[in-house]
Amino acid sequence: QSEDWEDTENVFIEGDNLEALKLLQKSYADSVRLIYIDPPYNTDGDFIYPDRYSEGLNSYLHYTGQKVDGDWVVSESGRERTGRRHTLWLNMMLPRLRLARNLLAKDGVIAIHLDEHEVSNASLLLAEVFGDENNLGPIIWDKKNPKGDASKIAVQHEYVLLYAKNLEYLKQCNDLKRPKVNAERMLKKAQQAFSKIGSKVVPEHLSSITKQYSIDIDISKFEEEYTLEDANVEYRSWLSRQDVSGGEAAYKYIDANGDVYRTVSMAWPNKKRAPDDYFIPLVHPTTKKPCPVPDRGWRNPPDTMKALLAAGQIVFGDDETKQPERKYLLKENMS
């Protein structure tokens, strides 16, 4: 079934998803860029997929020790007594995932929307079908609506598991980045605050008090010089009131050049210890004392560290007790 075929060239198929996937194999093999599926969550009462087994249920319950001489030993819920709740779900998913993989283009991606009931099992199943090396990672969706289950920790998030058919090829063909949608606004606001440095302004707290209590005084006599610190306070206050992503919110500083930046650890990212020359301490520019080195060493070799230092891309604390961090400018990381 399709709507307005000449213009949209879309195809809408209604029917059993397994049969539909089988029908699509010949015409659409290796040609689909994205597959998004929202399978049953396997909660109470929302999933019934019968299957055939070589042995009866009683044999299974006997082997697992749930029944002895026909009497129940453990398990109060009917769901647990079946012994196959997860098996049924996995048996339903496996053929569909294999067929879906056949449909994906070489740079295709599959996204699976799940809650906590089967996410761990689905991760293992996806790794088996697509390979661990093609795992793009999970997306955590905060529903902002926790389940009201007083007997357990309330869950208010779900998952989207992402796997590529061929991750290396995907990265060659696509830039896996998303533009920071608020970056331009953030830069504009920071520049607006930075441009006031050196001018005379009434402190914000004083201006607010006089307005709040309708105090009729000439507050111009209390003007002070607007500093870089004031610009940072104004910018961060504005940023805290904006609907921005966590990645955008991290860019909360303005430097002496007017650039918006964030700081990132320069610690060696691997579990094994870095080479010996990755442990050369950085000297604090004010106290002239060595700063702490990460336990496993710096992320970069000495020459790179010198280049970053010369370019002003390393941020020091107030004194040598704080570990220096790398500076990332927003204008160079707009996505």
Side-chain angles (χ1 to χ4, degrees), residues 233-249:
V233 170
E234 179 180 338
Y235 171 68
R236 283 197 290 272
S237 175
W238 172 86
L239 187 62
S240 67
R241 300 190 301 271
Q242 308 306 305
D243 183 15
V244 298
S245 69
E248 292 170 332

Side-chain angles (χ1 to χ4, degrees), residues 217-232:
I217 61 171
D218 180 13
I219 59 175
S220 62
K221 66 177 72 175
F222 300 104
E223 288 182 343
E224 297 176 354
E225 183 176 332
Y226 193 85
T227 66
L228 177 59
E229 182 179 352
D230 294 324
N232 270 281

Side-chain angles (χ1 to χ4, degrees), residues 133-164:
E133 69 278 8
N134 293 311
N135 183 5
L136 281 165
I139 294 174
I140 308 300
W141 173 45
D142 184 358
K143 299 186 298 180
K144 296 181 171 60
N145 181 27
K147 295 179 180 179
D149 187 346
S151 66
K152 299 179 181 178
I153 295 174
V155 178
Q156 70 174 31
H157 64 270
E158 293 182 1
Y159 306 85
V160 180
L161 304 181
L162 292 167
Y163 271 77

Side-chain angles (χ1 to χ4, degrees), residues 147-311:
K147 295 179 180 179
D149 187 346
S151 66
K152 299 179 181 178
I153 295 174
V155 178
Q156 70 174 31
H157 64 270
E158 293 182 1
Y159 306 85
V160 180
L161 304 181
L162 292 167
Y163 271 77
K165 187 170 186 178
N166 185 321
L167 181 55
E168 289 304 315
Y169 185 78
L170 173 67
K171 291 192 292 187
Q172 291 175 19
C173 301
N174 301 277
D175 190 9
L176 300 182
K177 292 183 178 180
R178 181 178 67 176
K180 292 183 176 67
V181 295
N182 296 292
E184 292 291 349
R185 278 199 313 129
M186 292 164 63
L187 291 174
K188 183 177 180 181
K189 176 59 183 179
Q191 185 56 44
Q192 180 187 34
F194 185 77
S195 66
K196 294 193 293 185
I197 293 177
S199 62
K200 295 291 185 179
V201 296
V202 176
E204 180 65 28
H205 65 278
L206 180 58
S207 177
S208 299
I209 289 173
T210 56
K211 289 179 181 178
Q212 181 178 357
Y213 297 101
S214 300
I215 301 174
D216 186 18
I217 61 171
D218 180 13
I219 59 175
S220 62
K221 66 177 72 175
F222 300 104
E223 288 182 343
E224 297 176 354
E225 183 176 332
Y226 193 85
T227 66
L228 177 59
E229 182 179 352
D230 294 324
N232 270 281
V233 170
E234 179 180 338
Y235 171 68
R236 283 197 290 272
S237 175
W238 172 86
L239 187 62
S240 67
R241 300 190 301 271
Q242 308 306 305
D243 183 15
V244 298
S245 69
E248 292 170 332
Y251 287 88
K252 57 184 179 181
Y253 306 106
I254 305 173
D255 68 11
N257 298 318
D259 289 321
V260 178
Y261 72 95
R262 65 170 296 181
T263 58
V264 179
S265 170
M266 293 191 294
W268 179 256
N270 303 320
K271 292 182 179 180
K272 292 184 178 180
R273 189 176 185 274
D276 290 342
D277 58 351
Y278 282 58
F279 286 82
I280 300 173
L282 293 171
V283 177
H284 193 276
T286 303
T287 67
K288 307 304 180 184
K289 296 180 180 180
C291 298
V293 177
D295 292 339
R296 292 194 295 269
W298 298 111
R299 174 183 290 267
N300 305 113
D303 288 346
T304 301
M305 297 295 283
K306 289 179 181 178
L308 291 173
L309 192 60

